[in-house]
Amino acid sequence: MIGKVSKFAGKHLLDLLKLPGGQFMSKGDLAMRLTPDIMFGGLEAVMTPGDYFDKVSAGLGSALGGSVGGLALGKLGGRNQALSTVLDMAGSIGGDMGGRMGAEQLQRGKDLVMGGKGQTAYERLSAQDREALEKMIREDQTGQVLAELGLLPGSTQGFLYGNQGIS
């Protein structure tokens, strides 16, 4: 069963690299279509916080999703090169979003396996920043004054000081 699926998938993935006439794309065509996706995948990897797994999964998800999405949607343009290029760009954006979603699920699974809460790198960073802000507000008298004046958001005020608006 797995052999049949891989044979089917491999054939169709190779079809993405073919032009409407049946010949394979030239190196220039492939470079034009894949270079932006690979570059944005690299940027995604560099900018993602966390460990190497988080960075690599984010970068590969973005690059592979964008590449496959762009090539697949670009096929709808047929022999019209301009339409194929525009569709390739749209497919790259959509594929990039899908690839990122897949990478986030991998990051959540890795976090659970490592004993975490099942968060992505960005969610862990956000939680750390929130804790630092709460600590700063607790330790600073300005936070107490702002809470007493009602100038902090209700959720923050209630969470930090146990003051639910009831005196």
Side-chain angles (χ1 to χ4, degrees):
M1 177 72 174
I2 292 175
K4 289 180 182 180
V5 170
S6 63
K7 184 189 250 185
F8 175 79
K11 177 187 177 302
H12 288 287
L13 285 175
L14 279 178
D15 286 343
L16 290 177
L17 301 176
K18 291 184 180 178
L19 295 172
Q23 72 269 19
F24 283 99
M25 290 181 189
S26 68
K27 291 178 183 176
D29 287 338
L30 281 175
M32 180 184 76
R33 294 204 175 187
L34 298 179
T35 300
D37 300 321
I38 293 168
M39 286 180 12
F40 284 117
L43 283 172
E44 182 76 20
V46 169
M47 294 187 310
T48 299
D51 59 10
Y52 287 119
F53 180 85
D54 294 332
K55 291 177 178 294
V56 169
S57 64
L60 282 177
S62 178
L64 290 175
S67 296
V68 172
L71 289 172
L73 199 58
K75 296 288 277 183
L76 296 177
R79 297 185 187 275
N80 187 335
Q81 184 67 30
L83 181 60
S84 290
T85 302
V86 170
L87 288 171
D88 180 84
M89 285 186 226
S92 291
I93 293 169
D96 180 43
M97 294 164 98
R100 286 180 185 185
M101 288 173 47
E104 283 181 359
Q105 295 305 317
L106 286 174
Q107 290 176 10
R108 284 189 176 104
K110 187 242 356 170
D111 192 46
L112 279 174
V113 168
M114 301 299 281
K117 298 176 185 176
Q119 298 174 317
T120 67
Y122 284 107
E123 291 166 345
R124 288 191 306 271
L125 182 63
S126 177
Q128 290 170 355
D129 287 346
R130 174 76 183 203
E131 289 170 8
L133 176 64
E134 290 169 1
K135 182 180 179 206
M136 183 180 70
I137 292 173
R138 274 193 209 105
E139 292 174 354
D140 186 14
Q141 290 300 317
T142 307
Q144 180 68 36
V145 172
L146 290 175
E148 289 173 3
L149 294 173
L151 297 176
L152 285 178
S155 61
T156 303
Q157 181 175 334
F159 182 74
L160 292 176
Y161 298 107
N163 179 2
Q164 304 298 325
I166 302 172
S167 301

